[in-house]
């Protein structure tokens, strides 16, 4: 068993030495390595659009809301038919841009990049965090699963409005533009001085 281990170790050493020698001679033949990739509009567009979606801001929140409903009869509210509950939950909103809509145009050393407006990419409610309080039990107007589902939809819409009012999309837009600029700069040769211009597409 010991002999097998020593033999395998020698084999590994020989393989490493052979690889090192090969790389040494390759370096002698091509001292500068691979030819630098030519930067084109199509190349930049393909690389950027391959990212698909770029989520640059994540907004985590905890919210509490109250649902209330009362049965009606020809527009009149029926007494003693009010049903209600209070619900608390955690949620997460991600905002960013659709990278498939990014356009790149090169004019000499100028790289013009047009990006779409930031938008909400996803909004998830953590089901495990949901807690229900003050739930009424009205036999004339009982709470149904539809009430919970519709209330959740309404609450998510309200939270998205609040997030936008707090500047969520503006922050996502700025970070997306910074990220794209850094990404393009990393693809350009340090020997070439490209000027990167980014603008938002008109809606």
């Amino acid at each position: 068993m010991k002999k097998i281990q020593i033999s395998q170790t020698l084999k590994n050493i020989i393989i490493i030495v052979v690889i090192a020698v090969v790389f040494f001679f390759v370096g002698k033949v091509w001292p500068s390595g691979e030819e630098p990739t030519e930067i084109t509009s199509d190349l930049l567009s393909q690389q950027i659009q391959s990212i698909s979606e770029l989520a640059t801001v994540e907004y985590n929140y905890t919210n509490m809301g109250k649902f209330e409903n009362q049965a009606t009869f020809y527009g009149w509210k029926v007494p003693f038919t009010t049903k209600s509950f209070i619900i608390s939950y955690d949620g997460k909103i991600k905002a960013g841009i659709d990278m498939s809509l990014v356009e790149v145009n090169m004019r000499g050393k100028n790289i013009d990049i047009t990006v779409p407006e930031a938008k909400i990419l996803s909004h998830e409610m953590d089901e495990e965090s949901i807690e229900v309080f003050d739930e009424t039990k009205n036999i004339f107007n009982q709470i149904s699963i539809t009430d919970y589902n519709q209330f959740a939809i309404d609450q998510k819409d309200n939270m998205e409005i609040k997030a936008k009012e707090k500047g969520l999309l503006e922050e996502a837009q700025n970070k997306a533009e910074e990220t794209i600029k850094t990404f393009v700069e990393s693809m350009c040769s340090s020997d070439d001085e490209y000027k990167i211009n980014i603008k938002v597409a008109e809606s």
Side-chain angles (χ1 to χ4, degrees):
M1 185 69 179
K2 189 174 182 180
K3 291 182 180 180
I4 294 176
Q5 289 179 342
I6 295 174
S7 176
Q8 186 62 46
T9 301
L10 288 174
K11 286 182 180 180
N12 291 338
I13 293 174
I14 292 171
I15 292 172
I16 292 172
V17 171
V18 170
I19 292 174
V21 171
V22 170
F23 274 103
F24 174 78
F25 282 106
V26 168
K28 289 291 185 181
V29 177
W30 297 293
S32 60
E34 296 182 357
E35 289 293 323
T37 304
E38 181 183 357
I39 302 298
T40 65
S41 298
D42 290 339
L43 175 63
L44 290 175
S45 294
Q46 290 173 5
Q47 293 295 323
I48 290 173
Q49 292 175 3
S50 66
I51 301 173
S52 182
E53 288 185 338
L54 177 63
T56 55
V57 176
E58 185 175 291
Y59 177 73
N60 296 284
Y61 67 85
T62 298
N63 188 46
M64 179 175 285
K66 181 177 182 180
F67 169 87
E68 189 171 273
N69 175 268
Q70 188 172 3
T72 59
F73 182 74
Y74 288 101
W76 292 88
K77 292 183 178 181
V78 180
F80 310 111
T81 61
T82 299
K83 59 180 176 180
S84 64
F85 60 81
I86 296 175
I87 188 172
S88 71
Y89 57 92
D90 298 331
K92 179 169 59 180
I93 301 174
K94 290 184 179 180
I97 65 172
D98 183 350
M99 297 290 275
S100 66
L101 300 178
V102 175
E103 297 179 358
V104 180
N105 181 40
M106 290 191 66
R107 299 176 293 107
K109 296 295 183 181
N110 289 299
I111 303 177
D112 299 325
I113 304 175
T114 303
V115 300
E117 292 183 347
K119 64 179 182 179
I120 290 176
L121 300 176
S122 66
H123 186 175
E124 300 173 0
M125 183 183 291
D126 183 3
E127 295 183 358
E128 295 184 358
S129 70
I130 296 176
E131 292 187 53
V132 179
F133 308 93
D134 239 4
E135 185 178 24
T136 60
K137 299 185 182 298
N138 194 314
I139 61 173
F140 301 108
N141 189 17
Q142 296 184 12
I143 296 173
S144 66
I145 189 65
T146 303
D147 294 325
Y148 289 115
N149 291 338
Q150 186 57 51
F151 183 70
I153 292 172
D154 293 340
Q155 286 294 296
K156 290 177 76 171
D157 290 342
N158 291 336
M159 289 308 302
E160 289 181 9
I161 292 173
K162 289 181 180 179
K164 290 176 181 178
E165 290 175 347
K166 291 183 177 181
L168 177 72
L169 297 185
E170 288 80 0
E171 184 180 355
Q173 188 76 49
N174 293 333
K175 287 189 176 181
E177 293 176 17
E178 291 174 5
T179 302
I180 291 173
K181 184 176 181 180
T182 302
F183 178 75
V184 173
E185 287 175 343
S186 68
M187 293 187 64
C188 298
S189 171
S190 58
D191 298 331
D192 296 320
E193 295 183 359
Y194 288 97
K195 183 179 180 181
I196 302 172
N197 308 302
I198 299 180
K199 69 175 183 178
V200 181
E202 297 180 1
S203 56

